[in-house]
Amino acid sequence: MLEATNRFFNNAADHLELDERLRTILSTPRRVVRVEIVTESDSGELMHHLGYRVQHNQARGPMKGGLRFHPDMDEDHAASLASLMTWKTAVVDVPYGGAKGGINCDPSKLSEAELHRITTTFVSLVREVIGPTIDIPAPDVNTNATIMSWIMDEYSKFYGFSPGVVTGKPVDLFGSLGREEATGRGVMYALEECLKESGRELSDVSVAIQGFGNVGSHAARLIHERGGKIVAVSDISGGLRNDNGLDIPALLDWVARNKVVEGFPGGDKVDGAAVLTGKCDVLIPAALEAAVTADNVADVQAEIVVEAANGPLTPDAHEILVGRGVTVIPDILANAGGVTVSYFEWSQNIQQFQWEEARVIEELERKMRRAYQSVATLARDEGVDQRTAAFVLAIKRVARAASMRQAISHLLPASLKG
Ligand code: NAD
């Protein structure tokens, strides 16, 4: 996965004619941590998991990025996702660097007590390298507000009251109003801005969404509320399709009771993979990486792809889609709403002051629309796709910040100065 991220980075670096030495400085993680998490299961057996935290870059501020609990989590995933966080925080212009981490566990096979032991052991092992001014984790795949509370609690045992050590906490425990839905909301704003370019609104398009977790379900709800027709969704249990539009409130209610979309009576059961390639105007992959690859890209029918997940298109698939004239709104722009409201949460924690939800939404909307316009304008002006434009914008911001901190301004090409 890191190879894919580096390929995207290098496309933009080529466009900027970046010096090899600067590429190395900007693409190499500053710290990679791997810890052995040994805990006891409820039945007294020893359990062994690996935990990771990769801190990619801190030129623009403390490092920021999610924690993923997934059997496939490894150093390669963490490094790739950490790098994406550096570019994402720069695209949306929040004062952070990038990090990412996680544990190679399957929470669906663990009791709450086991998950708590694994999480707090992880925190005790990485506590020296995280903190409100160093590196601030947040939720990602299979982690949520409850797990963030456990992290805050464990960290605070060592360092005193520290709500700013993690974001994505419950609203009743120093979380921010509007954080849970922020990534899905940001996806919706990015899509709205994109549709405006062709004089359309959400109510003019049909949408297919892969993944119905935090990001996918909130994106579905918000797009549906604005008149968008969600014709297909999928999750780990499979897919659903209804060409007249799925009843999203009823589906959300079903998933709240049954955990998965499978069995919902308001749509036809389809294969999960068919949701990516079925008829729709807009495809929103909101599950895991490499959903669209060279193998299935030829069958994708959407004219707009919004990368709500991180890395859902392989570089080959991206190149083919862009070559076909499909607009791809890249992950480092499309899903930046989450880290944006994480920044608002952290700011509230530091100031010990809670914002009204309306303020969170208003500031998120402004940041997302501005970021979309900056990327789209750069793409048009420089004749590149939106992903390259987003990386170019981000690299410029990070490189300038790095050069102000370190004696490397001689490595900056003229296009990055001033
Ligand atoms: P989540 O754990 O809440 O949901 C993941 C969803 O994907 C679930 O519905 C799961 O069933 C589904 N899924 C898993 N494998 C699938 C498959 N093979 N086919 C179809 N569906 C599948 O996770 P999330 O927080 O919604 O994150 C989803 C993506 O968005 C990830 O790539 C994550 O890195 C990215 N992201 C999340 C946030 C955030 O704030 N949570 C922010 C930015 C980016």
Side-chain angles (χ1 to χ4, degrees), residues 62-312:
M63 292 163 289
K64 187 90 189 79
L67 279 180
R68 179 177 293 193
F69 288 2
H70 193 278
D72 293 341
M73 193 65 201
D74 59 16
E75 192 179 309
D76 177 77
H77 275 78
S80 163
L81 294 163
S83 169
L84 286 179
M85 286 308 297
T86 296
W87 314 120
K88 188 181 305 180
T89 51
V91 165
V92 82
D93 200 13
V94 291
Y96 286 135
K100 200 83 174 195
I103 300 175
N104 72 342
C105 67
D106 182 352
S108 69
K109 299 202 169 88
L110 297 164
S111 71
E112 188 180 44
E114 287 169 338
L115 196 55
H116 180 262
R117 279 195 290 279
I118 291 168
T119 305
T120 52
T121 306
F122 175 70
V123 175
S124 71
L125 291 166
V126 299
R127 68 186 163 87
E128 283 152 10
V129 296
I130 63 169
T133 58
I134 304 170
D135 175 4
I136 306 131
D140 192 73
V141 174
N142 293 333
T143 54
N144 53 25
T146 304
I147 294 173
M148 298 306 115
S149 321
W150 297 342
I151 296 173
M152 183 194 92
D153 186 69
E154 185 66 15
Y155 184 87
S156 296
K157 282 179 193 161
F158 295 96
Y159 300 102
F161 175 66
S162 311
V165 67
V166 274
T167 57
K169 300 178 291 295
V171 173
D172 290 337
L173 199 71
F174 311 103
S176 175
L177 293 160
R179 171 60 185 94
E180 199 191 297
E181 62 173 45
T183 309
R185 185 175 278 282
V187 165
M188 185 264 294
Y189 290 139
L191 175 57
E192 249 182 4
E193 286 298 300
C194 178
L195 291 171
K196 270 190 208 165
E197 290 168 6
S198 52
R200 288 180 296 175
E201 298 179 357
L202 291 171
S203 54
D204 297 321
V205 289
S206 59
V207 181
I209 303 181
Q210 183 211 30
F212 208 68
N214 173 294
V215 180
S217 68
H218 284 296
R221 177 177 62 78
L222 291 160
I223 292 169
H224 174 83
E225 281 172 7
R226 282 164 176 71
K229 190 160 74 169
I230 313 291
V231 290
V233 300
S234 67
D235 69 6
I236 195 75
S237 70
L240 284 176
R241 186 161 182 104
N242 183 336
D243 287 337
N244 297 319
L246 290 158
D247 180 344
I248 297 298
L251 178 58
L252 287 166
D253 189 49
W254 173 273
V255 172
R257 284 183 283 115
N258 300 284
K259 302 237 182 310
V260 288
V261 302
E262 188 177 28
F264 178 66
D268 298 328
K269 184 177 163 62
V270 293
D271 192 62
V275 167
L276 298 165
T277 54
K279 195 165 164 29
C280 61
D281 301 312
V282 179
L283 172 64
I284 305 184
L288 295 172
E289 49 281 344
V292 182
T293 66
D295 294 336
N296 61 355
V297 66
D299 300 326
V300 170
Q301 300 188 49
E303 55 173 286
I304 298 172
V305 177
V306 191
E307 290 191 322
N310 285 309

